[in-house]
Amino acid sequence: MSVVANVAQPDVKRLKKVKSILVTQAAPADAAKSPYSEIERKYNVKVDFRSFIDVKGISYKDFRKQKIDILSHTAIIFTSRNAIDHFFRICKEAKIEVPADMKYFCITEQTANYLHKYIVIRKRKIFTGTKTALDLLEVIKKHKTEKFMFPCSNKRQKDLPDYMGTNDFQLTEAVMYETVSADLSDLENVFYDVIAFFSPSGITSLFENFPDFKQNNTRLAAFGPTTAQAVHDAGLLLDIQAPMPNAPSMTGALEHYIKQANK
């Protein structure tokens, strides 16, 4: 069977009715209003959430070993809520007061809004992308003279820092938290029609928990090119891919597939 390369052309041999979906992320804060709830209502599909990775902050003692001077930077890049939480945790433990003129570059508006937990947003300089790191890069390109700091995990995405590193941006990667595989042993005998992945770490966790995993009729969805590549590298079939022109979000890609599979 061929690997699906476009959500517009799913493999007809694997186009089977979808009754259940496992989203490998924690449930949204307001799950009842999320796009996933809309899918449940419209198509009578059960959607469960389960994070495949756990996030653990590194200690301030270990952070100091990186010899990073936070206050020598003029801009911070945030690509997740975890990065925001652990950046301000480290600052608090280091008794650092972040200057009011610090600039923040956030991967999405939702990420930027999360800053409200720590700062008064209307008084700060905040720049946002739309959906991906590449979108954020288009914003960053206009601020090449800044000294950027990138709070990240030990398993960060490569596209943004690699681009900046090869284009003479001043960038410091600061590992502030670690991602490890979650314990999924309770899912051993639970099966879903579709499993949606959002990072290569999710695929790693799948096989660390279930070394003998067989895909069979389970359809796999992947968000982003690196996640899609991880699916391929694991010898699995990719049935649903996002973002695509006709499906810019994971929920859009899932709905596009379900419309065809459940008719």
Side-chain angles (χ1 to χ4, degrees):
M1 290 181 282
S2 62
V3 174
V4 174
N6 191 314
V7 291
Q9 297 177 331
D11 188 331
V12 293
K13 295 179 181 178
R14 294 177 57 77
L15 194 62
K16 303 177 186 299
K17 188 172 183 178
V18 176
K19 296 181 180 179
S20 61
I21 299 172
L22 177 61
V23 178
T24 61
Q25 290 184 326
D30 195 350
K33 295 182 180 180
S34 79
Y36 292 103
S37 293
E38 186 66 19
I39 288 177
E40 285 187 304
R41 290 190 291 268
K42 286 176 66 175
Y43 303 101
N44 193 29
V45 173
K46 179 185 179 184
V47 179
D48 288 339
F49 297 88
R50 179 66 178 276
S51 179
F52 272 37
I53 59 174
D54 286 334
V55 176
K56 298 180 178 179
I58 68 168
S59 67
Y60 175 55
K61 179 180 178 181
D62 286 337
F63 174 74
R64 288 181 62 187
K65 294 176 182 178
Q66 298 178 58
K67 297 181 179 180
I68 296 172
D69 180 4
I70 293 176
L71 294 179
S72 69
H73 298 83
T74 61
I76 311 294
I77 298 173
F78 289 126
T79 57
S80 71
R81 292 184 177 187
N82 285 321
I84 293 174
D85 284 336
H86 290 289
F87 170 76
F88 285 101
R89 173 184 62 83
I90 290 291
C91 287
K92 182 177 180 181
E93 293 178 13
K95 298 181 180 179
I96 291 174
E97 184 173 345
V98 183
D101 60 353
M102 182 71 78
K103 295 178 181 178
Y104 299 95
F105 291 78
C106 300
I107 193 165
T108 63
E109 186 175 347
Q110 289 86 351
T111 304
N113 289 338
Y114 188 69
L115 278 170
H116 187 271
K117 182 177 179 180
Y118 298 97
I119 63 174
V120 179
I121 292 180
R122 62 183 174 82
K123 294 184 179 181
R124 301 302 177 103
K125 296 179 180 179
I126 300 174
F127 307 87
T128 62
T130 51
K131 292 183 179 296
T132 69
L134 294 179
D135 296 328
L136 182 57
L137 270 176
E138 293 303 313
V139 180
I140 290 174
K141 287 177 183 178
K142 301 174 184 177
H143 302 267
K144 197 165 186 177
T145 60
E146 302 293 341
K147 293 182 179 179
F148 290 94
M149 180 177 172
F150 179 37
C152 60
S153 77
N154 58 324
K155 297 179 181 178
R156 52 85 168 159
Q157 297 287 354
K158 297 180 179 181
D159 44 5
L160 189 149
D162 284 1
Y163 174 88
M164 295 182 71
T166 56
N167 286 273
D168 300 323
F169 284 86
Q170 297 182 74
L171 178 71
T172 302
E173 292 184 56
V175 176
M176 294 185 168
Y177 56 101
E178 298 178 341
T179 55
V180 297
S181 297
D183 180 3
L184 306 174
S185 56
D186 57 308
L187 294 179
E188 184 172 4
N189 295 311
V190 180
F191 302 94
Y192 290 87
D193 295 320
V194 175
I195 304 178
F197 290 94
F198 298 83
S199 72
S201 297
I203 303 296
T204 300
S205 179
L206 174 69
F207 282 98
E208 285 187 357
N209 279 275
F210 311 111
D212 300 322
F213 174 78
K214 297 293 187 295
Q215 184 174 358
N216 299 322
N217 290 324
T218 299
R219 271 63 46 84
L220 300 185
F223 188 88
T226 56
T227 308
Q229 188 61 50
V231 172
H232 296 317
D233 292 345
L236 303 172
L237 297 178
L238 179 60
D239 300 279
I240 305 165
Q241 187 170 351
M244 298 293 280
N246 59 344
S249 64
M250 175 59 83
T251 49
L254 290 170
E255 183 169 11
H256 186 92
Y257 183 89
I258 293 170
K259 282 180 180 179
Q260 297 178 75
N262 290 16
K263 61 183 179 182

